[in-house]
Amino acid sequence: MSTNLHMRTGSATHRGVYRENNEDSMIVAGTLCVVADGMGGHEAGEVASRLCVRQLAYSSFFTLPGGMSPEEQEDYERRVHDENKGKSNRRKTSELNNEILRTLERLRSLIGEANDQIKGALSKAGGTTVTGAWLTHIGSQQLWVIFNVGDSRTYRLVREQEGFHHSEMEMLPGNAGSASLEQVTADHSEVQYLVDEGQITQLEALTHPRRNVITRALGTGNYWEPDFWVFPAHEGDRVMLCSDGLSGELSHEYMARVLTSVRHPQDAADVLQYEALRSGGRDNITVIVADAIVPDED
């Protein structure tokens, strides 16, 4: 089995220029990163986001490869690597996909437990968005598992060899080539729905009067189902998680420039927060930048 990847991270959070308190919460626990943006006022949003990140961070699920128990890992390895049965690569891929689906179903249940905990504590008086990035592996396959509910976002740098046109690239530091910034998650919001339906443009969405109305959240008693994305992880990958207080202040192009040019994730997080404050800081600002590295890397 190849060496399992670890994370090097940087993070920053700020209440913003105009807000009296910070309703955002974030956590980095092992190879799990989570950002939650609370809502509800009178400290309800702050409590909701804190309960959400704690529920996820304290779960032993994320300490296990793919969330599998040792017995489940052993059974999976036996099914995949039993040469006596002469399994084809197609069969092995099918078994990996089935295991990924089981992992996502368990993760959905954990997010549902967070939803129930918030409802029980706040009686639907507060809620929160959440987005997360989990670096894990199933067998020898290294994976990123991304999830979100609401309009907090996860982005990733996509390298030139992964299919983007060169004109869309920003140069990476050193001799690491070029990359483009991709928004992985899709906002659960009214304006995103209007954009998807072709009723308004992305540019119009930036100033739409209902741009802050979200259609999914945890703890509110309304629809909360998470979306998931899974893709292979490689050494040198970089992902960024943020609340809308950051993505609402900075352009996609500027975030791409910072994430491709600033080498250490903590420096990148600090620059992004500082510039979001300079650009207006109208909301709470939270950002996590995470790099996939080999364990012996400083």
Side-chain angles (χ1 to χ4, degrees):
M1 180 185 296
S2 58
T3 302
N4 295 328
L5 296 171
H6 288 202
M7 272 187 181
R8 176 194 289 127
T9 63
S11 60
T13 189
H14 197 284
R15 66 180 176 86
V17 175
Y18 302 105
R19 297 298 180 94
E20 294 183 356
N21 65 322
N22 191 348
E23 293 186 311
D24 288 356
S25 296
M26 66 176 179
I27 201 158
V28 177
T31 58
L32 172 70
C33 299
V34 181
V35 168
D37 181 354
M39 65 200 77
H42 303 291
E43 297 185 352
E46 186 176 348
V47 172
S49 65
R50 189 186 312 124
L51 286 172
C52 176
V53 299
R54 287 184 177 179
Q55 176 75 17
L56 296 175
Y58 290 170
S59 172
S60 61
F61 175 83
F62 296 103
T63 67
L64 303 170
M68 295 186 289
S69 69
E71 294 77 18
E72 290 169 327
Q73 294 173 48
E74 183 178 348
D75 178 63
Y76 173 76
E77 293 286 351
R78 184 174 60 253
R79 285 186 280 114
V80 170
H81 297 293
D82 189 353
E83 295 180 355
N84 294 330
K85 294 184 179 180
K87 292 181 179 178
S88 65
N89 287 334
R90 183 174 180 179
R91 177 72 181 277
K92 292 177 182 179
T93 300
S94 176
E95 290 184 348
L96 173 63
N97 290 339
N98 289 337
E99 197 59 56
I100 290 173
L101 289 175
R102 283 190 284 269
T103 293
L104 296 184
E105 184 56 37
R106 293 166 182 166
L107 178 51
R108 178 194 173 278
S109 296
L110 280 177
I111 296 171
E113 291 171 10
N115 175 67
D116 292 341
Q117 186 177 26
I118 296 166
K119 282 197 301 183
L122 298 175
S123 301
K124 303 179 185 179
T128 186
T129 70
V130 63
T131 190
W134 180 31
L135 180 60
T136 188
H137 66 92
I138 296 178
S140 61
Q141 181 63 61
Q142 311 270 346
L143 299 169
W144 286 104
V145 178
I146 309 297
F147 56 91
N148 89 299
V149 180
D151 62 354
S152 293
R153 295 178 177 178
T154 295
Y155 295 81
R156 68 164 176 157
L157 288 183
V158 181
R159 296 178 183 273
E160 187 172 13
Q161 59 266 34
E162 296 181 68
F164 275 70
H165 189 273
H166 184 76
S167 64
E168 299 173 346
M169 296 289 155
E170 294 283 349
M171 292 301 298
L172 291 164
N175 298 314
S178 303
S180 178
L181 184 64
E182 174 190 52
Q183 181 181 331
V184 178
T185 57
D187 294 350
H188 301 139
S189 65
E190 285 195 8
V191 295
Q192 186 60 51
Y193 174 79
L194 294 175
V195 170
D196 292 342
E197 291 295 304
Q199 297 183 33
I200 63 173
T201 66
Q202 288 283 6
L203 185 60
E204 290 171 331
L206 296 176
T207 56
H208 195 279
R210 294 183 65 81
R211 63 187 177 277
N212 294 323
V213 179
I214 62 173
T215 55
R216 298 189 205 179
L218 301 183
T220 61
N222 297 322
Y223 191 60
W224 61 270
E225 287 288 333
D227 287 340
F228 297 105
W229 294 261
V230 180
F231 48 86
H234 306 284
E235 180 185 359
D237 286 352
R238 170 166 283 188
V239 300
M240 180 189 78
L241 298 78
C242 66
S243 61
D244 66 336
L246 184 105
S247 57
E249 296 289 358
L250 302 178
S251 70
H252 186 96
E253 292 75 18
Y254 182 79
M255 292 189 293
R257 194 173 308 122
V258 171
L259 291 169
T260 52
S261 62
V262 180
R263 183 177 296 276
H264 198 283
Q266 185 59 59
D267 295 334
D270 289 341
V271 170
L272 290 165
Q273 178 193 261
Y274 175 74
E275 290 301 326
L277 287 168
R278 278 191 24 154
S279 295
R282 288 163 286 188
D283 201 350
N284 304 148
I285 300 165
T286 300
V287 57
I288 299 174
V289 180
D291 294 346
I293 62 170
V294 293
D296 57 350
E297 190 173 346
D298 294 332

